[in-house]
Amino acid sequence: MQRKGFSLIELLVVIAILALLAALLFPVYFRAKNASKQSKCLNNLKQIGGAFMLYMQDYDDIWPFGVDPADKYTPDIWNDYPEFKARIPSIPLMHELLQPYLPSKAVWECPADKGQIIDDVSFHILESMPSSYEKFGTSYYYRTELTVKSLISSSIPNLPEINVYFDGSGAWHTGEPLLERNDSWEEIQQKLKNYRYNVLWGDFHAKNVSREQYWAAWQTPLL
């Protein structure tokens, strides 16, 4: 007698096999997708590094006189520098300042950008949803201390250890959630320890680093 279809047990076995294959393949797909976004983001930073160099060739090796969204929209982070804080409203955002040195605006968007609620560095509220790029026009942020102190690149002895430009949030290239308003300090620390950042360094190479490496760069003196 000819069979007309699968038995219930056979269907369940097939479904179980498909579920197992999906469980095995999904993490691989997720990692490959994340790696592709990270690679694109690093390439963006390398292009931006080229724009920094071209600008500085035009302006006697001085770091560009620009700010990032954290400076512009949470200016209280500069309370210890009142003269600079007072000038922030008139200072251009870095991505606007450097745009003439780049072929398109697309370079300012990290494909992994999912915004932020709390800034990873100052811990001020800096909402940029659904993405920093869509809210502010850039996914990347600046070590503005370089501009505040009117530094010349050649005067910095340890350029390869200085973070210049970087992702707005270390959550973008990990499975960790963003920092939230109501997070306890313990919850913040738990999230941060797994964060990773794409960073453009002072010698204009770009590299993905851990939170520990990123924070060590922030602690590296400029002079």
Side-chain angles (χ1 to χ4, degrees):
M1 183 175 178
Q2 187 176 4
R3 294 181 62 182
K4 295 184 178 180
F6 294 105
S7 70
L8 178 59
I9 292 176
E10 288 171 328
L11 284 172
L12 289 174
V13 169
V14 170
I15 291 171
I17 292 172
L18 291 175
L20 178 61
L21 289 173
L24 292 172
L25 293 175
F26 182 76
V28 175
Y29 169 77
F30 183 77
R31 286 195 295 270
K33 186 176 181 180
N34 279 353
S36 175
K37 289 180 178 180
Q38 181 177 306
S39 178
K40 172 63 176 173
C41 190
L42 284 170
N43 185 58
N44 286 349
L45 284 170
K46 290 174 184 176
Q47 292 186 63
I48 293 168
F52 268 94
M53 286 191 285
L54 290 172
Y55 178 100
M56 293 165 78
Q57 286 174 10
D58 289 343
Y59 291 92
D60 300 321
D61 202 33
I62 297 175
W63 293 94
F65 196 70
V67 295
D68 67 22
D71 305 313
K72 186 73 77 171
Y73 302 109
T74 58
D76 286 351
I77 62 178
W78 293 107
N79 282 343
D80 291 341
Y81 295 82
E83 291 184 9
F84 178 75
K85 179 182 176 182
R87 298 184 66 183
I88 287 175
S90 64
I91 301 174
L93 287 161
M94 186 63 74
H95 65 280
E96 297 171 348
L97 183 65
L98 296 183
Q99 185 56 54
Y101 299 93
L102 289 160
S104 76
K105 292 183 178 180
V107 73
W108 302 105
E109 181 178 16
C110 174
D113 181 353
K114 57 183 180 182
Q116 68 257 66
I117 300 168
I118 304 294
D119 181 67
D120 288 10
V121 179
S122 69
F123 301 109
H124 282 61
I125 294 173
L126 184 66
E127 279 204 48
S128 58
M129 308 302 283
S131 75
S132 180
Y133 178 77
E134 291 186 56
K135 182 72 176 285
F136 300 128
T138 180
S139 299
Y140 306 109
Y141 290 68
Y142 179 47
R143 184 166 178 172
T144 316
E145 183 185 2
L146 293 160
T147 290
V148 173
K149 296 181 177 179
S150 302
L151 295 179
I152 296 172
S153 178
S154 57
S155 69
I156 300 175
N158 46 0
L159 280 174
E161 301 171 24
I162 297 296
N163 55 320
V164 171
Y165 222 51
F166 31 81
D167 296 328
S169 171
W172 298 349
H173 298 289
T174 70
E176 292 291 330
L178 297 169
L179 301 183
E180 300 278 357
R181 279 190 178 86
N182 296 323
D183 284 348
S184 67
W185 185 242
E186 290 74 18
E187 289 171 324
I188 288 173
Q189 292 300 307
Q190 181 62 36
K191 291 178 181 179
L192 289 176
K193 74 177 185 179
N194 294 318
Y195 278 11
R196 297 193 66 86
Y197 301 81
N198 286 338
V199 178
L200 177 71
W201 300 85
D203 61 352
F204 301 117
H205 78 281
K207 183 179 179 181
N208 182 269
V209 299
S210 68
R211 171 70 183 190
E212 184 179 6
Q213 293 169 305
Y214 175 69
W215 196 246
W218 275 106
Q219 306 309 308
T220 302
L222 298 179
L223 293 173

